Amino acid sequence: AQSVAQPEDQVNVAEGNPLTVKCTYSVSGNPYLFWYVQYPNRGLQFLLKYITGDNLVKGSYGFEAEFNKSQTSFHLKKPSALVSDSALYFCAIILYNFNKFYFGSGTKLNVKP
Amino acid sequence: DVKVTQSSRYLVKRTGEKVFLECVQDMDHENMFWYRQDPGLGLRLIYFSYDVKMKEKGDIPEGYSVSREKKERFSLILESASTNQTSMYLCASSFSGTGVFGYTFGSGTRLTVV
């Protein structure tokens, strides 16, 4: 069975500091990996994805994520956090020939001035 | 700009009412999905559809039904609204047969049942 784990319900970081939001997954096969961001009372917006190739992928708003196959992880990172990065972040996986995502439970990122 | 449009951002309904949540996409996507989002529970799949007039139950279909008469429109129906259906409802769509493009989400409908 496929599953995605985001072990932290909340991450707190000071503005200007680096941030990491963790994601691990369990899947039979080779998944595509995604990060979505949700601002209050809004839908989810695509942030970045890993399909194949370079393990480090770059996305919107200065975010990046590193795919680690041996650790089955896809952690989201940013070198210098902004207050405007405060939001809810979801990790998700999908198998290449499937239609349905498996979502993590979400991590609330709080960036304090 | 491609879009998934949910007809209402905020909705207040009374217990026992029949409620329709509408979702329209303009991307010619085959797949459409309805999720509900609750604090601490993440996203839970209610129903999805891979084609016109086709539907499949997700993880929490009880108390809901769906309709897909046209490719671009996917409706979620609460047959008799109850207070425990107060939630944020998210519609999404995607291409069929490959996950490489991911989902496109609507802005959500926050439903309150009183």
Side-chain angles (χ1 to χ4, degrees), chain A residues 87-108:
Chain A
L88 188 56
Y89 291 81
F90 288 94
C91 181
I93 62 171
I94 190 168
L95 295 177
Y96 78 99
N97 61 343
F98 280 62
N99 292 297
K100 198 171 69 164
F101 264 129
Y102 295 88
F103 285 94
S105 54
T107 299
K108 186 177 181 183

Short mmCIF file of all heavy atoms in Angstrom, two decimals, chain A residues 87-108:
data_model
loop_
_atom_site.label_atom_id
_atom_site.label_comp_id
_atom_site.label_asym_id
_atom_site.label_seq_id
_atom_site.Cartn_x
_atom_site.Cartn_y
_atom_site.Cartn_z
N ALA A 87 2.45 28.97 5.72
CA ALA A 87 1.34 28.31 5.01
C ALA A 87 1.33 26.84 5.41
O ALA A 87 2.14 26.40 6.22
CB ALA A 87 1.51 28.45 3.49
N LEU A 88 0.41 26.11 4.79
CA LEU A 88 0.32 24.67 5.01
C LEU A 88 0.91 23.97 3.79
O LEU A 88 0.58 24.31 2.65
CB LEU A 88 -1.16 24.30 5.18
CG LEU A 88 -1.53 22.88 5.61
CD1 LEU A 88 -0.86 22.50 6.90
CD2 LEU A 88 -3.05 22.78 5.75
N TYR A 89 1.80 23.02 4.02
CA TYR A 89 2.52 22.35 2.94
C TYR A 89 2.16 20.87 2.93
O TYR A 89 2.19 20.19 3.96
CB TYR A 89 4.03 22.54 3.11
CG TYR A 89 4.46 23.96 2.87
CD1 TYR A 89 4.32 24.91 3.87
CD2 TYR A 89 4.95 24.36 1.64
CE1 TYR A 89 4.69 26.24 3.66
CE2 TYR A 89 5.31 25.68 1.40
CZ TYR A 89 5.17 26.61 2.42
OH TYR A 89 5.52 27.92 2.19
N PHE A 90 1.85 20.38 1.73
CA PHE A 90 1.48 18.99 1.54
C PHE A 90 2.47 18.31 0.59
O PHE A 90 2.76 18.82 -0.49
CB PHE A 90 0.09 18.85 0.93
CG PHE A 90 -1.01 19.20 1.87
CD1 PHE A 90 -1.55 20.47 1.90
CD2 PHE A 90 -1.54 18.24 2.73
CE1 PHE A 90 -2.58 20.80 2.76
CE2 PHE A 90 -2.57 18.56 3.60
CZ PHE A 90 -3.08 19.84 3.61
N CYS A 91 2.92 17.14 1.01
CA CYS A 91 3.70 16.26 0.15
C CYS A 91 2.74 15.23 -0.45
O CYS A 91 1.77 14.82 0.20
CB CYS A 91 4.76 15.57 1.00
SG CYS A 91 5.86 14.45 0.14
N ALA A 92 3.00 14.82 -1.69
CA ALA A 92 2.11 13.86 -2.34
C ALA A 92 2.90 12.98 -3.30
O ALA A 92 3.91 13.41 -3.87
CB ALA A 92 1.00 14.59 -3.10
N ILE A 93 2.43 11.75 -3.47
CA ILE A 93 3.06 10.83 -4.42
C ILE A 93 1.99 10.29 -5.36
O ILE A 93 0.81 10.19 -5.01
CB ILE A 93 3.77 9.65 -3.73
CG1 ILE A 93 2.77 8.80 -2.92
CG2 ILE A 93 4.90 10.14 -2.86
CD1 ILE A 93 3.38 7.51 -2.40
N ILE A 94 2.43 9.94 -6.56
CA ILE A 94 1.56 9.30 -7.53
C ILE A 94 2.42 8.37 -8.36
O ILE A 94 3.57 8.69 -8.67
CB ILE A 94 0.82 10.35 -8.39
CG1 ILE A 94 -0.28 9.71 -9.23
CG2 ILE A 94 1.79 11.14 -9.24
CD1 ILE A 94 -1.22 10.72 -9.88
N LEU A 95 1.89 7.21 -8.70
CA LEU A 95 2.62 6.30 -9.57
C LEU A 95 2.39 6.71 -11.01
O LEU A 95 1.32 7.21 -11.37
CB LEU A 95 2.17 4.86 -9.33
CG LEU A 95 2.52 4.33 -7.93
CD1 LEU A 95 1.97 2.93 -7.74
CD2 LEU A 95 4.02 4.35 -7.72
N TYR A 96 3.37 6.43 -11.88
CA TYR A 96 3.40 7.06 -13.19
C TYR A 96 2.17 6.74 -14.03
O TYR A 96 1.72 7.55 -14.82
CB TYR A 96 4.67 6.65 -13.94
CG TYR A 96 4.62 5.26 -14.55
CD1 TYR A 96 4.33 5.08 -15.89
CD2 TYR A 96 4.86 4.14 -13.77
CE1 TYR A 96 4.26 3.81 -16.44
CE2 TYR A 96 4.79 2.88 -14.31
CZ TYR A 96 4.50 2.71 -15.64
OH TYR A 96 4.42 1.45 -16.17
N ASN A 97 1.63 5.56 -13.86
CA ASN A 97 0.49 5.17 -14.70
C ASN A 97 -0.82 5.15 -13.93
O ASN A 97 -1.80 4.57 -14.37
CB ASN A 97 0.75 3.83 -15.36
CG ASN A 97 0.92 2.72 -14.32
OD1 ASN A 97 1.15 3.01 -13.15
ND2 ASN A 97 0.80 1.49 -14.74
N PHE A 98 -0.81 5.77 -12.77
CA PHE A 98 -2.00 5.82 -11.96
C PHE A 98 -2.59 7.22 -11.99
O PHE A 98 -1.98 8.17 -12.44
CB PHE A 98 -1.68 5.41 -10.51
CG PHE A 98 -1.61 3.92 -10.34
CD1 PHE A 98 -0.66 3.17 -11.02
CD2 PHE A 98 -2.47 3.26 -9.50
CE1 PHE A 98 -0.59 1.80 -10.87
CE2 PHE A 98 -2.41 1.90 -9.34
CZ PHE A 98 -1.47 1.16 -10.01
N ASN A 99 -3.80 7.31 -11.49
CA ASN A 99 -4.51 8.58 -11.56
C ASN A 99 -4.68 9.26 -10.21
O ASN A 99 -5.10 10.39 -10.17
CB ASN A 99 -5.90 8.35 -12.16
CG ASN A 99 -5.81 7.95 -13.62
OD1 ASN A 99 -5.34 8.72 -14.45
ND2 ASN A 99 -6.25 6.75 -13.93
N LYS A 100 -4.38 8.57 -9.13
CA LYS A 100 -4.74 9.08 -7.82
C LYS A 100 -3.52 9.38 -6.98
O LYS A 100 -2.60 8.58 -6.88
CB LYS A 100 -5.62 8.05 -7.10
CG LYS A 100 -6.41 8.62 -5.95
CD LYS A 100 -7.42 7.60 -5.43
CE LYS A 100 -6.75 6.44 -4.74
NZ LYS A 100 -7.69 5.66 -3.91
N PHE A 101 -3.54 10.57 -6.38
CA PHE A 101 -2.49 10.97 -5.46
C PHE A 101 -2.69 10.34 -4.09
O PHE A 101 -3.80 10.08 -3.65
CB PHE A 101 -2.53 12.48 -5.25
CG PHE A 101 -1.59 13.26 -6.11
CD1 PHE A 101 -2.05 14.33 -6.85
CD2 PHE A 101 -0.24 12.96 -6.15
CE1 PHE A 101 -1.18 15.07 -7.64
CE2 PHE A 101 0.63 13.69 -6.94
CZ PHE A 101 0.15 14.75 -7.69
N TYR A 102 -1.57 10.18 -3.39
CA TYR A 102 -1.59 9.91 -1.96
C TYR A 102 -0.94 11.12 -1.28
O TYR A 102 0.19 11.47 -1.61
CB TYR A 102 -0.83 8.64 -1.63
CG TYR A 102 -1.50 7.42 -2.19
CD1 TYR A 102 -1.21 6.98 -3.48
CD2 TYR A 102 -2.46 6.72 -1.46
CE1 TYR A 102 -1.83 5.87 -4.02
CE2 TYR A 102 -3.09 5.60 -2.00
CZ TYR A 102 -2.77 5.19 -3.28
OH TYR A 102 -3.41 4.11 -3.81
N PHE A 103 -1.68 11.74 -0.38
CA PHE A 103 -1.21 12.97 0.27
C PHE A 103 -0.72 12.69 1.68
O PHE A 103 -1.25 11.83 2.38
CB PHE A 103 -2.35 13.99 0.37
CG PHE A 103 -2.69 14.66 -0.93
CD1 PHE A 103 -3.70 14.17 -1.73
CD2 PHE A 103 -1.99 15.78 -1.34
CE1 PHE A 103 -4.01 14.78 -2.93
CE2 PHE A 103 -2.29 16.41 -2.54
CZ PHE A 103 -3.30 15.90 -3.33
N GLY A 104 0.28 13.46 2.10
CA GLY A 104 0.63 13.51 3.50
C GLY A 104 -0.40 14.32 4.26
O GLY A 104 -1.30 14.92 3.67
N SER A 105 -0.26 14.35 5.57
CA SER A 105 -1.26 15.01 6.41
C SER A 105 -1.07 16.52 6.49
O SER A 105 -1.90 17.22 7.06
CB SER A 105 -1.21 14.42 7.82
OG SER A 105 0.11 14.50 8.34
N GLY A 106 0.04 17.00 5.94
CA GLY A 106 0.28 18.43 5.92
C GLY A 106 1.15 18.90 7.08
O GLY A 106 1.09 18.35 8.18
N THR A 107 1.96 19.91 6.81
CA THR A 107 2.81 20.55 7.82
C THR A 107 2.58 22.05 7.77
O THR A 107 2.72 22.66 6.70
CB THR A 107 4.30 20.24 7.57
OG1 THR A 107 4.51 18.84 7.65
CG2 THR A 107 5.17 20.96 8.60
N LYS A 108 2.25 22.60 8.92
CA LYS A 108 2.05 24.04 8.99
C LYS A 108 3.39 24.71 9.25
O LYS A 108 4.05 24.41 10.25
CB LYS A 108 1.06 24.39 10.09
CG LYS A 108 0.70 25.86 10.13
CD LYS A 108 -0.34 26.15 11.20
CE LYS A 108 -0.70 27.62 11.20
NZ LYS A 108 -1.66 27.94 12.29
#
